Amino acid sequence: MDFFRYEDGALKVEGVAVSELAERYGTPLYVYSAGTLEHHVEQLRTAFARHEPVICYSVKACSNVHILERMAGLGVGFDVVSGGELYRIVKAGLPTENVVYAGVGKTEVEIRFAIDNGILMFNVESEPELREIDRVARGMGKKARIAMRVNPNVDAHTHAYTTTGKHENKFGLTIEKARAVSGKIASMDGVSLAGLHAHIGSQITSPEPYATALERVVDLMLEIRSESLPLEYLNMGGGFGANYESTEQALQPTEFAKATGPAVERSGARLMMEPGRYVVANAAILVSRLLYDKEGEGKHFYIVDAGMNDLIRPSLYEAYQGIWPVKSETEPPFRGGREAPGGVLCDVVGPICESGDFLGRDRKLPAMGEGDLLAVYGAGAYGMAMASNYNSRPRPAEVLVDGSSHRLIRRRETWEDLVRLENEV
Ligand code: LLP
Protein backbone atom coordinates (compact mmCIF):
# COMPACT_ATOMS: atom_id res chain seq x y z
CA MET A 1 0.00 0.00 0.00
CA ASP A 2 1.13 3.54 -0.62
CA PHE A 3 -0.19 7.08 -0.46
CA PHE A 4 -0.11 8.12 -4.11
CA ARG A 5 -3.65 8.62 -5.44
CA TYR A 6 -5.51 10.36 -8.25
CA GLU A 7 -8.13 12.73 -6.94
CA ASP A 8 -10.23 15.01 -9.15
CA GLY A 9 -8.10 14.15 -12.16
CA ALA A 10 -4.71 14.83 -10.60
CA LEU A 11 -2.07 12.88 -8.70
CA LYS A 12 -1.65 13.57 -5.02
CA VAL A 13 1.02 12.37 -2.62
CA GLU A 14 -0.70 12.06 0.73
CA GLY A 15 -2.47 15.44 1.01
CA VAL A 16 -0.36 17.35 -1.53
CA ALA A 17 -0.91 17.83 -5.26
CA VAL A 18 2.11 16.77 -7.31
CA SER A 19 1.61 19.69 -9.72
CA GLU A 20 2.01 22.09 -6.79
CA LEU A 21 5.32 20.44 -5.84
CA ALA A 22 6.60 20.58 -9.43
CA GLU A 23 5.66 24.26 -9.60
CA ARG A 24 7.40 25.04 -6.37
CA TYR A 25 10.54 22.88 -6.62
CA GLY A 26 10.92 22.29 -10.38
CA THR A 27 11.52 19.03 -12.26
CA PRO A 28 12.92 16.39 -12.37
CA LEU A 29 11.91 15.94 -8.75
CA TYR A 30 11.94 12.99 -6.37
CA VAL A 31 8.87 13.08 -4.12
CA TYR A 32 8.80 10.80 -1.06
CA SER A 33 5.80 9.91 1.07
CA ALA A 34 6.64 9.67 4.78
CA GLY A 35 3.42 7.79 5.48
CA THR A 36 4.32 5.11 2.95
CA LEU A 37 7.80 4.64 4.41
CA GLU A 38 6.35 4.22 7.86
CA HIS A 39 3.67 1.87 6.67
CA HIS A 40 6.24 -0.43 5.07
CA VAL A 41 8.36 -0.61 8.22
CA GLU A 42 5.21 -1.34 10.20
CA GLN A 43 4.26 -4.15 7.80
CA LEU A 44 7.64 -5.81 8.30
CA ARG A 45 7.45 -5.44 12.06
CA THR A 46 3.98 -6.98 12.16
CA ALA A 47 4.86 -9.87 9.85
CA PHE A 48 7.94 -10.82 11.85
CA ALA A 49 6.50 -9.81 15.25
CA ARG A 50 7.10 -13.25 16.72
CA HIS A 51 10.85 -12.82 16.34
CA GLU A 52 11.06 -9.12 17.28
CA PRO A 53 13.72 -8.60 14.62
CA VAL A 54 16.39 -5.93 14.65
CA ILE A 55 15.54 -4.06 11.45
CA CYS A 56 18.52 -2.40 9.80
CA TYR A 57 17.38 -0.20 6.91
CA SER A 58 19.75 -0.62 3.98
CA VAL A 59 21.13 2.88 3.46
CA LYS A 60 22.25 2.21 -0.13
CA ALA A 61 18.63 2.08 -1.32
CA CYS A 62 18.08 5.74 -0.49
CA SER A 63 20.65 7.50 1.61
CA ASN A 64 19.18 10.98 2.07
CA VAL A 65 19.88 11.94 5.70
CA HIS A 66 16.31 13.14 6.21
CA ILE A 67 15.05 9.70 5.22
CA LEU A 68 17.61 8.16 7.59
CA GLU A 69 16.34 10.43 10.37
CA ARG A 70 12.80 9.21 9.72
CA MET A 71 14.03 5.64 9.97
CA ALA A 72 15.89 6.25 13.20
CA GLY A 73 12.70 7.86 14.53
CA LEU A 74 10.96 4.53 13.96
CA GLY A 75 13.62 2.77 16.01
CA VAL A 76 15.20 1.24 12.94
CA GLY A 77 18.98 0.62 12.70
CA PHE A 78 21.09 0.69 9.54
CA ASP A 79 22.92 -1.56 7.12
CA VAL A 80 25.86 0.25 5.55
CA VAL A 81 28.38 -0.68 2.89
CA SER A 82 30.87 2.17 3.05
CA GLY A 83 32.44 4.70 5.34
CA GLY A 84 30.43 7.33 3.50
CA GLU A 85 27.12 5.72 4.41
CA LEU A 86 28.21 5.48 8.03
CA TYR A 87 29.38 9.10 7.90
CA ARG A 88 25.84 10.16 6.95
CA ILE A 89 24.50 8.46 10.09
CA VAL A 90 27.20 9.82 12.38
CA LYS A 91 26.98 13.34 10.94
CA ALA A 92 23.23 13.40 11.46
CA GLY A 93 23.76 12.38 15.08
CA LEU A 94 21.78 9.17 14.63
CA PRO A 95 22.39 6.13 16.83
CA THR A 96 25.10 3.73 15.64
CA GLU A 97 24.39 0.93 18.10
CA ASN A 98 22.33 -0.96 15.52
CA VAL A 99 24.55 -0.39 12.51
CA VAL A 100 25.82 -3.42 10.61
CA TYR A 101 28.55 -3.00 8.03
CA ALA A 102 28.83 -5.31 4.99
CA GLY A 103 30.86 -5.03 1.78
CA VAL A 104 33.76 -6.95 0.27
CA GLY A 105 36.29 -4.13 0.20
CA LYS A 106 36.34 -2.32 3.53
CA THR A 107 39.48 -0.20 3.88
CA GLU A 108 41.52 0.41 7.01
CA VAL A 109 40.20 3.97 7.27
CA GLU A 110 36.62 2.72 7.05
CA ILE A 111 37.17 -0.06 9.60
CA ARG A 112 38.74 2.39 12.03
CA PHE A 113 35.88 4.87 11.56
CA ALA A 114 33.29 2.15 12.21
CA ILE A 115 35.05 0.91 15.35
CA ASP A 116 35.46 4.46 16.62
CA ASN A 117 31.75 5.01 16.18
CA GLY A 118 30.68 1.90 18.06
CA ILE A 119 28.72 0.06 15.37
CA LEU A 120 26.99 -3.17 16.30
CA MET A 121 29.04 -5.41 14.00
CA PHE A 122 30.89 -5.95 10.74
CA ASN A 123 29.54 -8.50 8.31
CA VAL A 124 32.79 -10.08 7.20
CA GLU A 125 33.06 -11.24 3.60
CA SER A 126 36.47 -12.98 3.44
CA GLU A 127 39.29 -14.33 5.58
CA PRO A 128 41.78 -11.61 4.58
CA GLU A 129 39.19 -8.99 5.55
CA LEU A 130 38.71 -10.72 8.91
CA ARG A 131 42.48 -10.54 9.53
CA GLU A 132 42.49 -6.85 8.64
CA ILE A 133 39.63 -6.05 11.04
CA ASP A 134 41.42 -8.05 13.74
CA ARG A 135 44.66 -6.15 13.09
CA VAL A 136 43.02 -2.71 13.06
CA ALA A 137 40.95 -3.41 16.19
CA ARG A 138 43.96 -4.71 18.11
CA GLY A 139 45.90 -1.62 17.12
CA MET A 140 43.11 0.46 18.63
CA GLY A 141 43.03 -1.68 21.77
CA LYS A 142 39.49 -2.76 20.89
CA LYS A 143 37.59 -5.93 20.09
CA ALA A 144 35.30 -5.63 17.07
CA ARG A 145 32.08 -7.63 16.92
CA ILE A 146 31.63 -9.48 13.66
CA ALA A 147 29.26 -11.79 11.84
CA MET A 148 30.47 -14.04 9.07
CA ARG A 149 28.59 -13.38 5.86
CA VAL A 150 27.85 -16.83 4.53
CA ASN A 151 27.39 -17.46 0.82
CA PRO A 152 24.89 -20.33 0.91
CA ASN A 153 24.99 -20.98 -2.84
CA VAL A 154 21.28 -20.35 -3.36
CA ASP A 155 19.75 -18.92 -6.51
CA ALA A 156 17.46 -16.04 -5.56
CA HIS A 157 15.89 -16.01 -9.06
CA THR A 158 16.40 -12.35 -9.67
CA HIS A 159 18.42 -10.23 -12.11
CA ALA A 160 21.99 -11.53 -12.57
CA TYR A 161 23.38 -8.20 -11.33
CA THR A 162 21.44 -8.40 -8.07
CA THR A 163 22.01 -12.06 -7.22
CA THR A 164 24.56 -12.30 -4.42
CA GLY A 165 24.24 -15.73 -2.79
CA LYS A 166 25.74 -18.03 -5.40
CA HIS A 167 29.30 -19.31 -5.38
CA GLU A 168 30.11 -17.42 -8.56
CA ASN A 169 29.29 -14.12 -6.77
CA LYS A 170 32.00 -12.20 -4.92
CA PHE A 171 30.09 -12.05 -1.64
CA GLY A 172 30.57 -13.91 1.63
CA LEU A 173 32.32 -17.09 2.70
CA THR A 174 31.23 -20.50 1.49
CA ILE A 175 29.82 -22.70 4.24
CA GLU A 176 32.99 -24.81 4.23
CA LYS A 177 35.19 -21.75 4.44
CA ALA A 178 33.07 -20.20 7.20
CA ARG A 179 33.34 -23.43 9.17
CA ALA A 180 37.12 -23.43 8.81
CA VAL A 181 37.43 -19.72 9.65
CA SER A 182 35.23 -20.04 12.74
CA GLY A 183 37.86 -22.35 14.24
CA LYS A 184 40.44 -19.55 14.02
CA ILE A 185 38.34 -16.70 15.41
CA ALA A 186 38.47 -17.74 19.06
CA SER A 187 42.22 -17.19 19.05
CA MET A 188 42.00 -13.70 17.53
CA ASP A 189 42.14 -10.89 20.10
CA GLY A 190 40.68 -8.16 17.91
CA VAL A 191 37.38 -9.78 16.91
CA SER A 192 34.49 -11.65 18.49
CA LEU A 193 32.02 -13.67 16.47
CA ALA A 194 28.48 -12.55 17.28
CA GLY A 195 26.46 -14.08 14.49
CA LEU A 196 25.99 -15.26 10.93
CA HIS A 197 24.71 -13.23 8.02
CA ALA A 198 23.40 -14.06 4.56
CA HIS A 199 22.12 -11.68 1.90
CA ILE A 200 21.24 -13.62 -1.21
CA GLY A 201 20.07 -10.90 -3.57
CA SER A 202 17.62 -8.13 -4.27
CA GLN A 203 14.08 -7.90 -5.67
CA ILE A 204 13.31 -11.44 -4.50
CA THR A 205 9.67 -12.34 -4.95
CA SER A 206 9.58 -15.88 -3.63
CA PRO A 207 10.18 -17.01 -0.04
CA GLU A 208 11.80 -20.35 -0.94
CA PRO A 209 15.34 -19.10 -1.54
CA TYR A 210 15.28 -17.43 1.90
CA ALA A 211 14.06 -20.61 3.56
CA THR A 212 16.75 -22.71 1.85
CA ALA A 213 19.49 -20.20 2.61
CA LEU A 214 18.53 -19.85 6.27
CA GLU A 215 18.31 -23.62 6.77
CA ARG A 216 21.90 -23.91 5.54
CA VAL A 217 23.10 -21.00 7.64
CA VAL A 218 21.36 -22.28 10.76
CA ASP A 219 22.83 -25.77 10.28
CA LEU A 220 26.23 -24.15 10.34
CA MET A 221 25.29 -21.98 13.29
CA LEU A 222 24.29 -24.95 15.42
CA GLU A 223 27.42 -26.79 14.40
CA ILE A 224 29.89 -24.06 15.33
CA ARG A 225 28.13 -22.40 18.27
CA SER A 226 30.12 -22.76 21.47
CA GLU A 227 30.88 -20.88 24.65
CA SER A 228 33.55 -18.85 22.94
CA LEU A 229 31.40 -18.38 19.80
CA PRO A 230 27.91 -17.69 21.19
CA LEU A 231 26.42 -16.50 17.86
CA GLU A 232 23.53 -14.43 19.20
CA TYR A 233 22.46 -12.98 15.86
CA LEU A 234 21.02 -14.47 12.70
CA ASN A 235 20.94 -11.86 9.94
CA MET A 236 18.76 -12.79 6.95
CA GLY A 237 19.85 -9.77 4.88
CA GLY A 238 17.53 -7.73 2.69
CA GLY A 239 16.11 -8.37 -0.75
CA PHE A 240 12.34 -8.46 -0.22
CA GLY A 241 10.84 -7.58 -3.57
CA ALA A 242 8.73 -4.50 -4.17
CA ASN A 243 5.87 -4.65 -6.62
CA TYR A 244 6.54 -2.18 -9.39
CA GLU A 245 3.20 -2.88 -11.02
CA SER A 246 0.73 -2.55 -8.19
CA THR A 247 0.00 -0.73 -4.96
CA GLU A 248 0.23 -4.09 -3.20
CA GLN A 249 3.64 -5.52 -2.36
CA ALA A 250 4.97 -8.31 -4.60
CA LEU A 251 4.74 -10.75 -1.79
CA GLN A 252 3.32 -10.08 1.63
CA PRO A 253 6.08 -10.06 4.23
CA THR A 254 4.00 -12.55 6.19
CA GLU A 255 4.91 -15.10 3.50
CA PHE A 256 8.62 -14.47 4.02
CA ALA A 257 8.10 -14.70 7.78
CA LYS A 258 6.21 -17.98 7.48
CA ALA A 259 8.84 -19.58 5.26
CA THR A 260 11.78 -18.57 7.40
CA GLY A 261 10.11 -19.03 10.82
CA PRO A 262 11.24 -22.64 11.41
CA ALA A 263 14.91 -21.87 10.70
CA VAL A 264 14.81 -18.80 12.92
CA GLU A 265 13.23 -20.80 15.75
CA ARG A 266 15.80 -23.51 15.37
CA SER A 267 18.67 -21.03 15.55
CA GLY A 268 17.67 -19.70 18.95
CA ALA A 269 19.30 -16.45 17.79
CA ARG A 270 18.01 -12.90 17.52
CA LEU A 271 16.74 -12.25 14.00
CA MET A 272 18.09 -9.31 12.04
CA MET A 273 17.11 -8.07 8.59
CA GLU A 274 18.32 -5.40 6.17
CA PRO A 275 15.45 -4.27 3.98
CA GLY A 276 16.03 -1.40 1.58
CA ARG A 277 13.81 -1.63 -1.48
CA TYR A 278 10.80 -2.98 0.39
CA VAL A 279 10.74 0.10 2.58
CA VAL A 280 11.48 2.84 0.10
CA ALA A 281 10.85 1.76 -3.54
CA ASN A 282 7.15 2.45 -3.57
CA ALA A 283 7.47 5.39 -1.24
CA ALA A 284 8.61 7.78 -3.98
CA ILE A 285 7.92 8.92 -7.51
CA LEU A 286 10.17 10.79 -9.89
CA VAL A 287 8.27 13.71 -11.38
CA SER A 288 9.31 14.81 -14.84
CA ARG A 289 8.06 17.17 -17.53
CA LEU A 290 7.36 16.33 -21.15
CA LEU A 291 9.70 18.47 -23.22
CA TYR A 292 9.00 17.30 -26.75
CA ASP A 293 6.49 15.04 -28.40
CA LYS A 294 8.55 13.61 -31.24
CA GLU A 295 7.16 11.53 -34.06
CA GLY A 296 9.99 9.27 -35.23
CA GLU A 297 9.98 6.79 -38.10
CA GLY A 298 7.72 4.03 -36.81
CA LYS A 299 8.35 5.16 -33.23
CA HIS A 300 6.81 7.81 -31.08
CA PHE A 301 9.02 9.44 -28.45
CA TYR A 302 7.99 11.35 -25.38
CA ILE A 303 11.18 13.22 -24.56
CA VAL A 304 11.13 14.17 -20.90
CA ASP A 305 13.43 16.19 -18.64
CA ALA A 306 14.56 13.16 -16.56
CA GLY A 307 17.13 10.77 -17.96
CA MET A 308 19.21 7.75 -17.09
CA ASN A 309 21.45 9.93 -14.95
CA ASP A 310 18.45 10.66 -12.71
CA LEU A 311 17.05 7.10 -12.66
CA ILE A 312 19.29 4.43 -14.12
CA ARG A 313 17.31 1.27 -13.28
CA PRO A 314 15.49 0.95 -16.63
CA SER A 315 18.76 1.38 -18.57
CA LEU A 316 20.94 -0.75 -16.33
CA TYR A 317 18.64 -3.67 -15.48
CA GLU A 318 15.91 -3.16 -18.06
CA ALA A 319 13.79 -2.69 -14.96
CA TYR A 320 10.12 -1.82 -15.33
CA GLN A 321 9.03 1.44 -13.72
CA GLY A 322 5.42 2.49 -14.10
CA ILE A 323 4.90 5.82 -15.88
CA TRP A 324 1.70 7.87 -16.01
CA PRO A 325 0.67 11.52 -16.44
CA VAL A 326 0.17 13.54 -13.30
CA LYS A 327 -3.13 14.76 -14.76
CA SER A 328 -5.39 11.77 -15.29
CA GLU A 329 -8.97 10.84 -14.56
CA THR A 330 -7.98 7.30 -13.58
CA GLU A 331 -5.34 5.37 -11.75
CA PRO A 332 -2.81 3.94 -14.21
CA PRO A 333 -3.42 0.40 -15.51
CA PHE A 334 -0.32 -0.89 -13.71
CA ARG A 335 -2.02 0.17 -10.49
CA GLY A 336 -5.41 -1.28 -11.18
CA GLY A 337 -6.82 1.56 -13.32
CA ARG A 338 -8.02 1.68 -16.94
CA GLU A 339 -6.02 1.88 -20.13
CA ALA A 340 -6.19 5.30 -21.68
CA PRO A 341 -8.73 5.47 -24.51
CA GLY A 342 -6.98 6.74 -27.63
CA GLY A 343 -3.63 6.44 -25.91
CA VAL A 344 -0.24 6.84 -27.53
CA LEU A 345 2.25 4.01 -27.89
CA CYS A 346 5.60 5.57 -27.10
CA ASP A 347 9.08 5.32 -25.66
CA VAL A 348 9.60 7.66 -22.73
CA VAL A 349 13.19 8.84 -23.13
CA GLY A 350 15.52 11.35 -21.51
CA PRO A 351 17.89 13.99 -22.88
CA ILE A 352 21.10 11.90 -22.50
CA CYS A 353 23.14 11.12 -25.61
CA GLU A 354 22.69 7.34 -25.43
CA SER A 355 20.08 5.09 -26.98
CA GLY A 356 20.01 3.25 -23.64
CA ASP A 357 18.59 6.40 -22.06
CA PHE A 358 14.97 5.48 -21.54
CA LEU A 359 12.58 5.37 -18.61
CA GLY A 360 10.06 3.15 -20.35
CA ARG A 361 9.70 1.50 -23.74
CA ASP A 362 6.58 0.72 -25.76
CA ARG A 363 4.25 2.25 -23.23
CA LYS A 364 0.64 3.06 -23.96
CA LEU A 365 0.14 6.44 -22.34
CA PRO A 366 -2.71 8.92 -22.54
CA ALA A 367 -2.01 11.64 -25.10
CA MET A 368 -0.01 14.35 -23.38
CA GLY A 369 0.92 17.87 -24.32
CA GLU A 370 4.36 19.42 -24.15
CA GLY A 371 4.86 20.86 -20.68
CA ASP A 372 2.65 18.23 -19.03
CA LEU A 373 3.96 16.41 -15.97
CA LEU A 374 4.40 12.68 -15.60
CA ALA A 375 5.25 10.45 -12.66
CA VAL A 376 7.67 7.53 -12.68
CA TYR A 377 6.51 5.14 -9.96
CA GLY A 378 8.54 2.95 -7.63
CA ALA A 379 11.45 5.39 -7.82
CA GLY A 380 12.39 5.54 -4.14
CA ALA A 381 14.92 2.69 -4.03
CA TYR A 382 18.13 2.92 -6.04
CA GLY A 383 16.75 6.02 -7.75
CA MET A 384 18.40 9.12 -6.37
CA ALA A 385 20.96 6.85 -4.68
CA MET A 386 22.28 5.83 -8.12
CA ALA A 387 21.83 9.20 -9.82
CA SER A 388 24.89 10.75 -11.44
CA ASN A 389 26.01 13.91 -13.17
CA TYR A 390 26.47 12.16 -16.52
CA ASN A 391 26.24 14.62 -19.42
CA SER A 392 26.91 17.29 -16.79
CA ARG A 393 23.35 17.24 -15.62
CA PRO A 394 22.72 18.54 -12.10
CA ARG A 395 20.99 15.91 -9.96
CA PRO A 396 17.31 16.39 -9.07
CA ALA A 397 15.91 17.88 -5.89
CA GLU A 398 14.19 15.66 -3.30
CA VAL A 399 11.03 16.52 -1.38
CA LEU A 400 9.44 14.77 1.57
CA VAL A 401 5.67 14.90 1.93
CA ASP A 402 4.13 14.23 5.31
CA GLY A 403 0.36 14.55 5.38
CA SER A 404 -0.44 17.96 4.00
CA SER A 405 3.02 19.39 4.54
CA HIS A 406 6.09 19.10 2.35
CA ARG A 407 9.72 20.16 2.58
CA LEU A 408 12.83 20.11 0.50
CA ILE A 409 15.22 17.41 1.76
CA ARG A 410 17.89 17.98 -0.91
CA ARG A 411 18.16 21.06 -3.02
CA ARG A 412 18.53 20.77 -6.76
CA GLU A 413 22.14 20.84 -7.90
CA THR A 414 23.21 23.79 -10.02
CA TRP A 415 25.63 24.20 -12.92
CA GLU A 416 27.93 25.85 -10.42
CA ASP A 417 27.86 22.70 -8.25
CA LEU A 418 29.03 20.72 -11.26
CA VAL A 419 32.36 22.55 -11.51
CA ARG A 420 32.91 23.46 -7.86
CA LEU A 421 35.35 20.63 -7.02
CA GLU A 422 37.29 21.18 -10.22
CA ASN A 423 37.62 24.87 -9.51
CA GLU A 424 38.76 24.32 -5.92
CA VAL A 425 42.06 22.70 -6.94
N1 LLP B 1 21.97 -6.03 2.60
C1 LLP B 1 23.03 -6.13 1.75
C2 LLP B 1 24.27 -6.73 2.25
C3 LLP B 1 22.92 -5.66 0.43
O1 LLP B 1 23.95 -5.76 -0.38
C4 LLP B 1 21.70 -5.09 0.00
C5 LLP B 1 21.54 -4.60 -1.38
C6 LLP B 1 20.64 -4.99 0.92
C7 LLP B 1 20.81 -5.48 2.21
C8 LLP B 1 19.31 -4.38 0.57
O2 LLP B 1 18.67 -5.06 -0.44
P1 LLP B 1 17.14 -4.69 -0.80
O3 LLP B 1 16.30 -4.99 0.40
O4 LLP B 1 17.09 -3.25 -1.13
O5 LLP B 1 16.85 -5.54 -1.96
N2 LLP B 1 20.65 -1.34 -7.59
C9 LLP B 1 19.87 -2.56 -7.63
C10 LLP B 1 19.80 -3.24 -6.29
C11 LLP B 1 21.16 -3.54 -5.67
C12 LLP B 1 21.08 -4.15 -4.29
C13 LLP B 1 22.41 -4.14 -3.60
N3 LLP B 1 22.44 -4.68 -2.28
C14 LLP B 1 18.49 -2.23 -8.19
O6 LLP B 1 18.20 -1.06 -8.44
O7 LLP B 1 17.69 -3.13 -8.40
Side-chain angles (χ1 to χ4, degrees):
M1 192 187 89
D2 60 39
F3 296 94
F4 299 84
R5 291 282 173 280
Y6 285 86
E7 252 178 60
D8 303 324
L11 181 60
K12 279 179 107 174
V13 178
E14 303 194 15
V16 182
V18 170
S19 55
E20 186 190 323
L21 296 172
E23 208 52 56
R24 168 98 178 251
Y25 303 107
T27 57
L29 180 69
Y30 277 97
V31 180
Y32 298 85
S33 150
T36 309
L37 287 171
E38 288 177 8
H39 174 67
H40 289 158
V41 171
E42 202 42 51
Q43 273 187 317
L44 288 172
R45 280 224 169 97
T46 310
F48 286 89
R50 224 170 93 219
H51 304 300
E52 291 180 42
V54 180
I55 300 180
C56 297
Y57 166 71
S58 194
V59 172
K60 63 180 80 63
C62 175
S63 50
N64 186 299
V65 290
H66 301 275
I67 301 289
L68 302 185
E69 275 170 6
R70 275 324 268 221
M71 291 294 154
L74 299 174
V76 166
F78 300 104
D79 154 54
V80 302
V81 73
S82 70
E85 286 188 349
L86 179 57
Y87 177 79
R88 288 176 170 275
I89 293 163
V90 172
K91 190 81 198 282
L94 304 177
T96 53
E97 72 224 16
N98 277 340
V99 170
V100 292
Y101 187 164
V104 296
K106 303 175 189 82
T107 64
E108 175 173 353
V109 169
E110 291 177 312
I111 294 167
R112 197 176 283 282
F113 183 58
I115 294 174
D116 263 339
N117 282 289
I119 66 162
L120 179 58
M121 69 180 90
F122 293 96
N123 290 328
V124 170
E125 310 243 8
S126 67
E127 190 172 353
E129 183 205 329
L130 175 66
R131 298 206 174 283
E132 178 66 355
I133 296 175
D134 178 53
R135 184 187 71 81
V136 174
R138 276 189 286 115
M140 295 169 76
K142 296 260 173 77
K143 208 168 179 100
R145 221 181 280 107
I146 61 139
M148 283 191 288
R149 175 170 180 175
V150 177
N151 181 325
N153 200 26
V154 167
D155 191 344
H157 302 295
T158 178
H159 192 285
Y161 291 1
T162 59
T163 296
T164 52
K166 289 169 74 180
H167 281 169
E168 70 212 49
N169 306 129
K170 66 180 174 181
F171 301 98
L173 299 135
T174 63
I175 290 187
E176 296 69 37
K177 188 80 188 169
R179 185 184 291 120
V181 168
S182 71
K184 304 178 187 170
I185 292 179
S187 64
M188 295 179 158
D189 291 332
V191 290
S192 64
L193 182 61
L196 295 182
H197 169 245
H199 169 77
I200 57 173
S202 196
Q203 185 55 14
I204 302 172
T205 53
S206 140
E208 280 87 49
Y210 281 104
T212 311
L214 279 195
E215 289 299 343
R216 290 181 190 170
V217 172
V218 172
D219 284 347
L220 176 69
M221 186 174 250
L222 298 181
E223 194 186 322
I224 64 178
R225 183 180 271 150
S226 65
E227 220 158 90
S228 57
L229 303 176
L231 297 170
E232 310 122 85
Y233 293 98
L234 173 65
N235 186 337
M236 68 187 291
F240 305 135
N243 196 336
Y244 287 95
E245 302 186 37
S246 161
T247 51
E248 294 306 320
Q249 293 296 351
L251 194 68
Q252 293 305 316
T254 43
E255 296 296 318
F256 287 111
K258 203 162 81 193
T260 52
V264 179
E265 292 285 315
R266 205 156 64 80
S267 75
R270 181 85 193 268
L271 180 66
M272 304 183 81
M273 59 178 66
E274 307 168 339
R277 189 193 310 272
Y278 185 86
V279 174
V280 77
N282 284 326
I285 53 173
L286 173 62
V287 183
S288 178
R289 207 176 272 285
L290 178 61
L291 296 174
Y292 301 108
D293 179 357
K294 174 175 176 177
E295 193 59 62
E297 196 50 51
K299 256 287 182 209
H300 197 105
F301 298 102
Y302 274 174
I303 300 171
V304 302
D305 67 359
M308 65 189 282
N309 72 297
D310 304 301
L311 178 64
I312 202 173
R313 301 194 66 258
S315 306
L316 189 57
Y317 314 113
E318 297 196 38
Y320 176 90
Q321 309 264 171
I323 302 175
W324 205 246
V326 164
K327 264 202 220 138
S328 165
E329 288 307 319
T330 63
E331 295 285 328
F334 55 85
R335 291 163 60 89
R338 287 195 308 273
E339 260 221 354
V344 180
L345 188 67
C346 62
D347 283 7
V348 180
V349 301
I352 299 270
C353 59
E354 293 208 24
S355 296
D357 175 29
F358 59 88
L359 297 174
R361 276 177 163 162
D362 296 323
R363 299 296 175 86
K364 184 102 177 279
L365 294 185
M368 292 176 64
E370 291 172 357
D372 286 354
L373 296 168
L374 44 82
V376 184
Y377 287 78
Y382 310 104
M384 185 61 178
M386 293 177 82
S388 78
N389 291 125
Y390 187 40
N391 278 199
S392 286
R393 286 169 48 80
R395 281 178 290 181
E398 295 179 286
V399 167
L400 181 64
V401 173
D402 191 354
S404 55
S405 69
H406 51 87
R407 70 188 169 98
L408 197 61
I409 55 170
R410 191 180 204 270
R411 73 156 167 83
R412 181 175 305 286
E413 289 178 359
T414 62
W415 289 341
E416 210 177 21
D417 290 328
L418 294 176
V419 293
R420 176 160 300 134
L421 301 180
E422 292 145 52
N423 287 344
E424 262 177 23
V425 292

